[in-house]
Amino acid sequence: MANIDDVARLSGVSKGTVSNVFTQNRRVRKEVAERVLKAAQELNFKPNYWARTLSVKKTNIVGLSMPGENTKFSKFHMSLINGVLQVCYEHGYRLLINTMSTAYQGQAKYMTTNPVDGEIFLDPEQDDTRLTQRTQSDPPAVVVGKPPERLRAQLCYVDNDNEMTAEQVTQYLIRLGHRDILFLNTSEERTVSIDRQRGYEAALGQAGISVRPELHVFKDASVLSLDYGWESMHRLIAQGVSFSAVVADTDKVALGVYRAAGELGLSIPGDISVFAFSDDSVFAPEFRPPLSGVSLNAEDLGREAAALLIRRIEDDSAPIVHQTIRSNLVVRESCQRIP
């Protein structure tokens, strides 16, 4: 197996020059660097990755941290990952996706520093220890979603305007004549739940409709999304709570609503209109009629998050930026005007 001495001999330079070509610790003339790289390719020489990392104190790896429960990627997550990968490809970075369960993170053999130059965090919560720790130490971080308010000045983040989107969805249903709108929000711990609640209540207030507390439900974080939609429908109908439309946190929650409606003898949209804060569902064939949703432009979210992060990695004086990505309503046949 070839080593650095062989490359130096074949290219006619010193070992130090070969090292500088690969570590980029010192500038090497273009023609010399090309000669070294050609020799390395001929000899099939590749520098030891971890030795190089220790030398330059850089791994060229970007991390993407997702809660451990989200091991089955939705189309939203796949699109976001594709956006991150595009920017990583353009800048010479690898991507490490971290979905490690909290059950493992406390074990001694897993208590090591992440081998990344920076990290993107998804699904921020009000009391998010991942973000608190990151504001106190390196490496840099970018959040997809809004960090807790106390940390926003210290962290870059990329997000949709969730308050405006929730307001638009609710306004759309109100224009169809709906006044009793069930909102199956995400868990109260998630920061996005606050913005969506504000938008929902703002639209009701503008239309002169009183907020009914029983029609605003927060998800239990321990309950699966599909079960959340299904159980909420069964429970509220059994309690005699009346509503003519449902706004669901995700397509999975909406699928639970669809299944429960079928069991309860309710037609969609004849008896209940349904709108979800997601689109392009992997469950699309199961939605009959097709589900109205919100396109969150996840690929754009991923691209912008990765671009902000790499900028911070390569220039630690780069400013803290808060970026908003547009979203748009996609109306299909799951909503109907009340006669």
Side-chain angles (χ1 to χ4, degrees), residues 272-305:
I272 297 174
S273 293
V274 183
F275 214 114
F277 284 119
S278 58
D279 191 45
D280 296 327
S281 172
V282 293
F283 304 106
E286 296 193 50
F287 287 112
R288 292 290 179 267
L291 176 66
S292 295
V294 178
S295 175
L296 300 174
N297 295 303
E299 197 163 307
D300 291 342
L301 286 168
R303 273 196 297 265
E304 289 298 325

mmCIF file of all heavy atoms in Angstrom, residues 272-305:
data_model
loop_
_atom_site.group_PDB
_atom_site.id
_atom_site.type_symbol
_atom_site.label_atom_id
_atom_site.label_comp_id
_atom_site.label_asym_id
_atom_site.label_seq_id
_atom_site.Cartn_x
_atom_site.Cartn_y
_atom_site.Cartn_z
ATOM 1 N N ILE A 272 -67.638 16.087 7.319
ATOM 2 C CA ILE A 272 -66.479 16.756 7.926
ATOM 3 C C ILE A 272 -65.464 17.098 6.838
ATOM 4 O O ILE A 272 -65.089 16.242 6.032
ATOM 5 C CB ILE A 272 -65.797 15.853 8.987
ATOM 6 C CG1 ILE A 272 -66.755 15.564 10.132
ATOM 7 C CG2 ILE A 272 -64.529 16.506 9.512
ATOM 8 C CD1 ILE A 272 -66.198 14.561 11.119
ATOM 9 N N SER A 273 -65.033 18.349 6.813
ATOM 10 C CA SER A 273 -63.932 18.757 5.940
ATOM 11 C C SER A 273 -62.615 18.574 6.695
ATOM 12 O O SER A 273 -62.560 18.751 7.916
ATOM 13 C CB SER A 273 -64.094 20.222 5.510
ATOM 14 O OG SER A 273 -65.224 20.387 4.678
ATOM 15 N N VAL A 274 -61.546 18.220 5.971
ATOM 16 C CA VAL A 274 -60.247 17.962 6.613
ATOM 17 C C VAL A 274 -59.141 18.675 5.853
ATOM 18 O O VAL A 274 -59.081 18.619 4.619
ATOM 19 C CB VAL A 274 -59.938 16.445 6.676
ATOM 20 C CG1 VAL A 274 -58.613 16.214 7.415
ATOM 21 C CG2 VAL A 274 -61.073 15.684 7.345
ATOM 22 N N PHE A 275 -58.258 19.350 6.602
ATOM 23 C CA PHE A 275 -57.096 20.058 6.044
ATOM 24 C C PHE A 275 -55.889 19.708 6.911
ATOM 25 O O PHE A 275 -56.015 19.647 8.135
ATOM 26 C CB PHE A 275 -57.332 21.572 6.085
ATOM 27 C CG PHE A 275 -56.731 22.321 4.935
ATOM 28 C CD1 PHE A 275 -57.532 22.956 4.001
ATOM 29 C CD2 PHE A 275 -55.349 22.402 4.781
ATOM 30 C CE1 PHE A 275 -56.974 23.672 2.942
ATOM 31 C CE2 PHE A 275 -54.788 23.101 3.733
ATOM 32 C CZ PHE A 275 -55.607 23.738 2.794
ATOM 33 N N ALA A 276 -54.729 19.470 6.306
ATOM 34 C CA ALA A 276 -53.532 19.095 7.078
ATOM 35 C C ALA A 276 -52.388 20.061 6.820
ATOM 36 O O ALA A 276 -52.283 20.647 5.736
ATOM 37 C CB ALA A 276 -53.094 17.680 6.731
ATOM 38 N N PHE A 277 -51.503 20.207 7.823
ATOM 39 C CA PHE A 277 -50.313 21.051 7.682
ATOM 40 C C PHE A 277 -49.169 20.282 7.029
ATOM 41 O O PHE A 277 -48.019 20.357 7.462
ATOM 42 C CB PHE A 277 -49.853 21.564 9.044
ATOM 43 C CG PHE A 277 -50.693 22.683 9.590
ATOM 44 C CD1 PHE A 277 -51.366 22.530 10.787
ATOM 45 C CD2 PHE A 277 -50.820 23.890 8.916
ATOM 46 C CE1 PHE A 277 -52.143 23.557 11.302
ATOM 47 C CE2 PHE A 277 -51.595 24.924 9.415
ATOM 48 C CZ PHE A 277 -52.257 24.746 10.610
ATOM 49 N N SER A 278 -49.461 19.515 6.014
ATOM 50 C CA SER A 278 -48.423 18.820 5.255
ATOM 51 C C SER A 278 -49.008 18.432 3.910
ATOM 52 O O SER A 278 -50.220 18.471 3.710
ATOM 53 C CB SER A 278 -47.908 17.585 6.007
ATOM 54 O OG SER A 278 -48.961 16.689 6.294
ATOM 55 N N ASP A 279 -48.122 18.052 2.991
ATOM 56 C CA ASP A 279 -48.581 17.735 1.645
ATOM 57 C C ASP A 279 -47.697 16.642 1.065
ATOM 58 O O ASP A 279 -46.665 16.283 1.649
ATOM 59 C CB ASP A 279 -48.537 19.004 0.774
ATOM 60 C CG ASP A 279 -49.249 18.820 -0.552
ATOM 61 O OD1 ASP A 279 -50.360 18.271 -0.534
ATOM 62 O OD2 ASP A 279 -48.697 19.226 -1.582
ATOM 63 N N ASP A 280 -48.079 16.120 -0.096
ATOM 64 C CA ASP A 280 -47.303 15.063 -0.770
ATOM 65 C C ASP A 280 -47.091 13.866 0.145
ATOM 66 O O ASP A 280 -45.978 13.372 0.338
ATOM 67 C CB ASP A 280 -45.939 15.589 -1.249
ATOM 68 C CG ASP A 280 -46.092 16.662 -2.308
ATOM 69 O OD1 ASP A 280 -47.052 16.571 -3.082
ATOM 70 O OD2 ASP A 280 -45.265 17.585 -2.339
ATOM 71 N N SER A 281 -48.158 13.372 0.721
ATOM 72 C CA SER A 281 -48.072 12.298 1.702
ATOM 73 C C SER A 281 -47.746 10.958 1.064
ATOM 74 O O SER A 281 -48.209 10.645 -0.035
ATOM 75 C CB SER A 281 -49.408 12.191 2.455
ATOM 76 O OG SER A 281 -49.420 11.058 3.282
ATOM 77 N N VAL A 282 -46.961 10.152 1.788
ATOM 78 C CA VAL A 282 -46.720 8.778 1.340
ATOM 79 C C VAL A 282 -48.005 7.958 1.445
ATOM 80 O O VAL A 282 -48.122 6.894 0.862
ATOM 81 C CB VAL A 282 -45.612 8.102 2.180
ATOM 82 C CG1 VAL A 282 -44.279 8.761 1.939
ATOM 83 C CG2 VAL A 282 -45.962 8.099 3.664
ATOM 84 N N PHE A 283 -48.981 8.482 2.197
ATOM 85 C CA PHE A 283 -50.258 7.785 2.356
ATOM 86 C C PHE A 283 -51.303 8.267 1.348
ATOM 87 O O PHE A 283 -52.482 7.949 1.490
ATOM 88 C CB PHE A 283 -50.813 8.002 3.777
ATOM 89 C CG PHE A 283 -49.876 7.578 4.867
ATOM 90 C CD1 PHE A 283 -49.196 8.524 5.622
ATOM 91 C CD2 PHE A 283 -49.650 6.238 5.129
ATOM 92 C CE1 PHE A 283 -48.324 8.143 6.631
ATOM 93 C CE2 PHE A 283 -48.783 5.845 6.132
ATOM 94 C CZ PHE A 283 -48.118 6.796 6.885
ATOM 95 N N ALA A 284 -50.883 9.018 0.335
ATOM 96 C CA ALA A 284 -51.828 9.611 -0.616
ATOM 97 C C ALA A 284 -52.849 8.609 -1.160
ATOM 98 O O ALA A 284 -54.038 8.939 -1.270
ATOM 99 C CB ALA A 284 -51.072 10.283 -1.757
ATOM 100 N N PRO A 285 -52.459 7.368 -1.492
ATOM 101 C CA PRO A 285 -53.457 6.418 -2.013
ATOM 102 C C PRO A 285 -54.577 6.100 -1.016
ATOM 103 O O PRO A 285 -55.650 5.648 -1.425
ATOM 104 C CB PRO A 285 -52.622 5.162 -2.315
ATOM 105 C CG PRO A 285 -51.235 5.663 -2.511
ATOM 106 C CD PRO A 285 -51.095 6.802 -1.541
ATOM 107 N N GLU A 286 -54.318 6.298 0.291
ATOM 108 C CA GLU A 286 -55.336 5.995 1.299
ATOM 109 C C GLU A 286 -56.309 7.141 1.526
ATOM 110 O O GLU A 286 -57.320 6.966 2.205
ATOM 111 C CB GLU A 286 -54.663 5.619 2.628
ATOM 112 C CG GLU A 286 -53.822 4.346 2.542
ATOM 113 C CD GLU A 286 -53.446 3.845 3.919
ATOM 114 O OE1 GLU A 286 -54.335 3.713 4.779
ATOM 115 O OE2 GLU A 286 -52.237 3.592 4.136
ATOM 116 N N PHE A 287 -55.995 8.312 1.007
ATOM 117 C CA PHE A 287 -56.876 9.457 1.211
ATOM 118 C C PHE A 287 -57.914 9.528 0.096
ATOM 119 O O PHE A 287 -57.621 9.921 -1.024
ATOM 120 C CB PHE A 287 -56.070 10.765 1.268
ATOM 121 C CG PHE A 287 -55.276 10.947 2.523
ATOM 122 C CD1 PHE A 287 -53.887 10.912 2.499
ATOM 123 C CD2 PHE A 287 -55.910 11.147 3.741
ATOM 124 C CE1 PHE A 287 -53.146 11.082 3.661
ATOM 125 C CE2 PHE A 287 -55.178 11.315 4.915
ATOM 126 C CZ PHE A 287 -53.793 11.283 4.872
ATOM 127 N N ARG A 288 -59.099 9.104 0.436
ATOM 128 C CA ARG A 288 -60.233 9.166 -0.483
ATOM 129 C C ARG A 288 -61.367 9.891 0.216
ATOM 130 O O ARG A 288 -61.949 9.339 1.147
ATOM 131 C CB ARG A 288 -60.664 7.756 -0.913
ATOM 132 C CG ARG A 288 -59.656 7.048 -1.787
ATOM 133 C CD ARG A 288 -59.594 7.709 -3.203
ATOM 134 N NE ARG A 288 -58.598 7.058 -4.066
ATOM 135 C CZ ARG A 288 -57.345 7.457 -4.195
ATOM 136 N NH1 ARG A 288 -56.915 8.506 -3.488
ATOM 137 N NH2 ARG A 288 -56.521 6.837 -4.998
ATOM 138 N N PRO A 289 -61.627 11.155 -0.132
ATOM 139 C CA PRO A 289 -61.072 11.925 -1.255
ATOM 140 C C PRO A 289 -59.673 12.446 -0.955
ATOM 141 O O PRO A 289 -59.238 12.433 0.197
ATOM 142 C CB PRO A 289 -62.072 13.080 -1.379
ATOM 143 C CG PRO A 289 -62.536 13.290 0.028
ATOM 144 C CD PRO A 289 -62.645 11.917 0.622
ATOM 145 N N PRO A 290 -58.952 12.935 -2.005
ATOM 146 C CA PRO A 290 -57.602 13.480 -1.798
ATOM 147 C C PRO A 290 -57.594 14.588 -0.745
ATOM 148 O O PRO A 290 -58.503 15.405 -0.677
ATOM 149 C CB PRO A 290 -57.224 14.011 -3.184
ATOM 150 C CG PRO A 290 -58.035 13.189 -4.128
ATOM 151 C CD PRO A 290 -59.338 12.935 -3.437
ATOM 152 N N LEU A 291 -56.541 14.583 0.063
ATOM 153 C CA LEU A 291 -56.433 15.472 1.222
ATOM 154 C C LEU A 291 -55.913 16.857 0.845
ATOM 155 O O LEU A 291 -54.893 16.989 0.158
ATOM 156 C CB LEU A 291 -55.486 14.834 2.248
ATOM 157 C CG LEU A 291 -55.144 15.632 3.500
ATOM 158 C CD1 LEU A 291 -56.380 15.815 4.382
ATOM 159 C CD2 LEU A 291 -54.024 14.933 4.277
ATOM 160 N N SER A 292 -56.591 17.902 1.325
ATOM 161 C CA SER A 292 -56.077 19.262 1.211
ATOM 162 C C SER A 292 -54.930 19.436 2.203
ATOM 163 O O SER A 292 -54.994 18.934 3.330
ATOM 164 C CB SER A 292 -57.180 20.284 1.518
ATOM 165 O OG SER A 292 -58.202 20.230 0.556
ATOM 166 N N GLY A 293 -53.879 20.144 1.788
ATOM 167 C CA GLY A 293 -52.724 20.276 2.680
ATOM 168 C C GLY A 293 -51.950 21.555 2.450
ATOM 169 O O GLY A 293 -52.356 22.433 1.691
ATOM 170 N N VAL A 294 -50.819 21.647 3.120
ATOM 171 C CA VAL A 294 -49.932 22.808 3.019
ATOM 172 C C VAL A 294 -48.580 22.340 2.509
ATOM 173 O O VAL A 294 -47.966 21.438 3.097
ATOM 174 C CB VAL A 294 -49.763 23.502 4.383
ATOM 175 C CG1 VAL A 294 -48.789 24.667 4.263
ATOM 176 C CG2 VAL A 294 -51.101 23.975 4.930
ATOM 177 N N SER A 295 -48.126 22.919 1.411
ATOM 178 C CA SER A 295 -46.787 22.636 0.916
ATOM 179 C C SER A 295 -45.807 23.504 1.689
ATOM 180 O O SER A 295 -45.840 24.734 1.583
ATOM 181 C CB SER A 295 -46.693 22.931 -0.584
ATOM 182 O OG SER A 295 -45.361 22.766 -1.026
ATOM 183 N N LEU A 296 -44.936 22.866 2.483
ATOM 184 C CA LEU A 296 -43.993 23.588 3.331
ATOM 185 C C LEU A 296 -42.654 23.830 2.630
ATOM 186 O O LEU A 296 -41.757 24.432 3.209
ATOM 187 C CB LEU A 296 -43.768 22.809 4.628
ATOM 188 C CG LEU A 296 -45.021 22.583 5.483
ATOM 189 C CD1 LEU A 296 -44.707 21.665 6.662
ATOM 190 C CD2 LEU A 296 -45.589 23.901 5.983
ATOM 191 N N ASN A 297 -42.539 23.336 1.380
ATOM 192 C CA ASN A 297 -41.297 23.525 0.611
ATOM 193 C C ASN A 297 -40.078 23.066 1.410
ATOM 194 O O ASN A 297 -39.126 23.821 1.642
ATOM 195 C CB ASN A 297 -41.166 24.982 0.164
ATOM 196 C CG ASN A 297 -42.267 25.379 -0.814
ATOM 197 O OD1 ASN A 297 -42.418 24.759 -1.855
ATOM 198 N ND2 ASN A 297 -43.057 26.373 -0.461
ATOM 199 N N ALA A 298 -40.153 21.799 1.824
ATOM 200 C CA ALA A 298 -39.124 21.243 2.704
ATOM 201 C C ALA A 298 -37.736 21.244 2.079
ATOM 202 O O ALA A 298 -36.733 21.420 2.777
ATOM 203 C CB ALA A 298 -39.516 19.816 3.105
ATOM 204 N N GLU A 299 -37.670 21.059 0.764
ATOM 205 C CA GLU A 299 -36.351 21.050 0.121
ATOM 206 C C GLU A 299 -35.676 22.417 0.260
ATOM 207 O O GLU A 299 -34.468 22.506 0.497
ATOM 208 C CB GLU A 299 -36.491 20.655 -1.349
ATOM 209 C CG GLU A 299 -35.180 20.238 -1.977
ATOM 210 C CD GLU A 299 -35.369 19.462 -3.271
ATOM 211 O OE1 GLU A 299 -36.116 18.454 -3.267
ATOM 212 O OE2 GLU A 299 -34.754 19.869 -4.279
ATOM 213 N N ASP A 300 -36.475 23.480 0.129
ATOM 214 C CA ASP A 300 -35.934 24.831 0.331
ATOM 215 C C ASP A 300 -35.481 25.032 1.775
ATOM 216 O O ASP A 300 -34.447 25.667 2.029
ATOM 217 C CB ASP A 300 -36.984 25.889 -0.022
ATOM 218 C CG ASP A 300 -37.288 25.932 -1.519
ATOM 219 O OD1 ASP A 300 -36.478 25.408 -2.298
ATOM 220 O OD2 ASP A 300 -38.341 26.480 -1.886
ATOM 221 N N LEU A 301 -36.263 24.508 2.723
ATOM 222 C CA LEU A 301 -35.863 24.584 4.133
ATOM 223 C C LEU A 301 -34.498 23.926 4.333
ATOM 224 O O LEU A 301 -33.623 24.471 5.008
ATOM 225 C CB LEU A 301 -36.902 23.894 5.016
ATOM 226 C CG LEU A 301 -38.235 24.610 5.256
ATOM 227 C CD1 LEU A 301 -39.238 23.654 5.897
ATOM 228 C CD2 LEU A 301 -38.047 25.830 6.150
ATOM 229 N N GLY A 302 -34.330 22.733 3.751
ATOM 230 C CA GLY A 302 -33.067 22.010 3.896
ATOM 231 C C GLY A 302 -31.901 22.735 3.258
ATOM 232 O O GLY A 302 -30.811 22.828 3.839
ATOM 233 N N ARG A 303 -32.135 23.267 2.050
ATOM 234 C CA ARG A 303 -31.058 23.990 1.362
ATOM 235 C C ARG A 303 -30.614 25.218 2.150
ATOM 236 O O ARG A 303 -29.415 25.456 2.334
ATOM 237 C CB ARG A 303 -31.524 24.415 -0.043
ATOM 238 C CG ARG A 303 -31.307 23.375 -1.123
ATOM 239 C CD ARG A 303 -31.411 23.996 -2.508
ATOM 240 N NE ARG A 303 -32.742 24.521 -2.743
ATOM 241 C CZ ARG A 303 -33.718 23.858 -3.367
ATOM 242 N NH1 ARG A 303 -33.496 22.639 -3.806
ATOM 243 N NH2 ARG A 303 -34.903 24.407 -3.548
ATOM 244 N N GLU A 304 -31.586 26.004 2.600
ATOM 245 C CA GLU A 304 -31.248 27.226 3.324
ATOM 246 C C GLU A 304 -30.554 26.919 4.650
ATOM 247 O O GLU A 304 -29.609 27.615 5.049
ATOM 248 C CB GLU A 304 -32.503 28.069 3.558
ATOM 249 C CG GLU A 304 -33.066 28.714 2.312
ATOM 250 C CD GLU A 304 -32.102 29.687 1.659
ATOM 251 O OE1 GLU A 304 -31.361 30.360 2.391
ATOM 252 O OE2 GLU A 304 -32.075 29.763 0.428
ATOM 253 N N ALA A 305 -31.034 25.882 5.346
ATOM 254 C CA ALA A 305 -30.413 25.507 6.625
ATOM 255 C C ALA A 305 -28.973 25.091 6.424
ATOM 256 O O ALA A 305 -28.067 25.503 7.175
ATOM 257 C CB ALA A 305 -31.216 24.389 7.284
#
